[in-house]
Amino acid sequence: MSDYATYVLGGPDGYTGYADEWGAIGLDLDLLAGPDVLLPLLDAGTYAPVDWGADDYVQSGVLADPDRKVLLFFAVEGPAASSRTRAAFFAMLGHAWPGWDVRWVSDGQADLRRYLGEPVEDHGHPVSSFVGSAIGPDDRTLTRADPPAMVVTIGADRCHVLTGIVDLAFAEGSGLLGRLDGAPRHDAYRTHAQGGIHIDPKHRRVGWWLSGTLEYVRTPAAAWEGWTVEFWEDRWWEQTRASGGRFDPPVPDRAAALAEVRDEALRYWTGPRSGDPAGVTALAGLSQVAGLTARQAPAARAAIERAYAAAAGL
């Protein structure tokens, strides 16, 4: 299975870019190297016009507009896409790109297209092919640091946990209520998740959040006709409030999360590759496509250390 990524340099006044079939994993760690390292890498691999992949299959992407100092990106996994480390990652990223307007785009490549004034695809997939299955409180999946789980709370007394893609479960609309009638229940859910949905049947209100991107369904809110729909982006605590604590994950430890992001980024940018002891461990991504040199890797690591120190207040 491929891990498609899109890289774009420039803005609405002119841009170049390219697609990478294996570049999605580690893109967020690429970005922590900052503009002095990343902009040359983007420039080294670009050609025009952009070879856009299908929006629903591109899992990670970045658009850097140096003229306006805007950085747009999304990632399929890694510290940027984990509710446990996300805030720490963004704190470091802001310091790695000082003076830039850094934005996560929830709608993935479609949002990159919108920024450039390009048309956005109208596509969809059969929701039944992708929806997650409900799991019980004893499922071993939930023992992971970042469980691949979404939490559905209903009213004030129901809590279900699903494995799968949260926007596709949300796109089931009110039919999700019927599907979960006989599903395993949890008294509450108190660990991290990748997304969640709170349904208030009495007032016909529904809210949802996710830490990733809308990979497959462009307008899932259309499935909730007659309901008031709120998209909470990555604000998981909105579900905690709405559910009366049925979904109540721990607040991330900022110091520990910052250290974890720093350590993962340094590992990514350190180690042998192709016989070069000063190369990087990454087997895909911008560092691979543009042929990272031994001179660039130390600059990337120095930028990561500076961003960590600034975010940690050291």
Side-chain angles (χ1 to χ4, degrees), residues 83-89 192 236 249-261 308:
S83 59
R84 186 173 53 83
T85 53
R86 187 177 176 87
F89 172 85
H192 301 285
W236 54 264
V251 176
D253 182 321
R254 177 180 170 83
L258 284 171
E260 180 178 339
V261 174
Y308 167 76

Side-chain angles (χ1 to χ4, degrees), residues 218-280:
R218 184 90 313 117
T219 54
W224 295 83
E225 185 177 357
W227 291 63
T228 300
V229 176
E230 293 181 87
F231 177 42
W232 294 324
E233 298 179 328
D234 62 353
R235 301 189 303 275
W236 54 264
W237 52 91
E238 297 279 8
Q239 186 177 9
T240 300
R241 174 191 54 77
S243 67
R246 290 276 173 180
F247 172 63
D248 192 20
V251 176
D253 182 321
R254 177 180 170 83
L258 284 171
E260 180 178 339
V261 174
R262 175 202 60 194
D263 292 348
E264 185 172 350
L266 290 175
R267 284 194 299 271
Y268 178 83
W269 283 95
T270 305
R273 191 190 67 179
S274 300
D276 178 5
V280 296

Side-chain angles (χ1 to χ4, degrees), residues 18-265:
Y18 58 104
D20 178 10
E21 188 176 357
W22 302 102
I25 308 303
L27 178 62
D28 53 348
L29 302 177
D30 278 321
L31 298 181
L32 286 175
D36 291 344
V37 172
L38 261 293
L39 293 180
L41 291 180
L42 282 168
D43 191 46
T46 57
Y47 61 83
V50 178
D51 182 16
W52 298 104
D55 290 344
D56 53 334
Y57 286 112
V58 176
Q59 297 174 298
S60 299
V62 58
L63 184 156
D65 183 345
D67 291 338
R68 295 173 176 81
K69 289 191 176 297
V70 172
L71 181 72
L72 309 179
F73 82 103
F74 60 101
V76 65
E77 62 179 59
S82 164
S83 59
R84 186 173 53 83
T85 53
R86 187 177 176 87
F89 172 85
F90 273 93
M92 287 182 58
L93 188 66
H95 289 292
W97 293 75
W100 284 66
D101 179 7
V102 177
R103 309 177 202 165
W104 173 273
V105 289
S106 295
D107 208 3
Q109 182 174 268
D111 278 336
L112 303 189
R113 287 179 181 265
R114 291 187 182 99
Y115 180 84
L116 298 170
E118 294 279 357
V120 174
E121 297 175 353
D122 180 14
H123 62 77
H125 288 269
V127 173
S128 60
S129 298
F130 297 95
V131 294
S133 58
I135 58 176
D138 298 328
D139 194 287
R140 294 180 61 184
T141 300
L142 303 181
T143 64
R144 303 181 190 179
D146 291 302
M150 61 178 123
V151 182
V152 182
T153 48
I154 302 172
D157 59 357
R158 287 177 61 183
C159 178
H160 303 276
V161 178
L162 284 69
T163 60
I165 303 172
V166 65
D167 49 314
L168 293 175
F170 184 76
E172 289 186 72
S174 56
L176 180 62
L177 286 165
R179 182 162 77 88
L180 294 178
D181 276 345
R185 296 197 182 194
H186 297 240
D187 291 335
Y189 185 87
R190 305 194 188 283
T191 189
H192 301 285
Q194 294 181 337
I197 304 167
H198 180 70
I199 304 170
D200 180 350
K202 180 179 179 180
H203 299 99
R204 295 180 67 80
R205 301 181 65 93
V206 58
W208 67 298
W209 66 276
L210 76 168
S211 58
T213 58
L214 306 178
E215 292 183 29
Y216 297 103
V217 179
R218 184 90 313 117
T219 54
W224 295 83
E225 185 177 357
W227 291 63
T228 300
V229 176
E230 293 181 87
F231 177 42
W232 294 324
E233 298 179 328
D234 62 353
R235 301 189 303 275
W236 54 264
W237 52 91
E238 297 279 8
Q239 186 177 9
T240 300
R241 174 191 54 77
S243 67
R246 290 276 173 180
F247 172 63
D248 192 20
V251 176
D253 182 321
R254 177 180 170 83
L258 284 171
E260 180 178 339
V261 174
R262 175 202 60 194
D263 292 348
E264 185 172 350

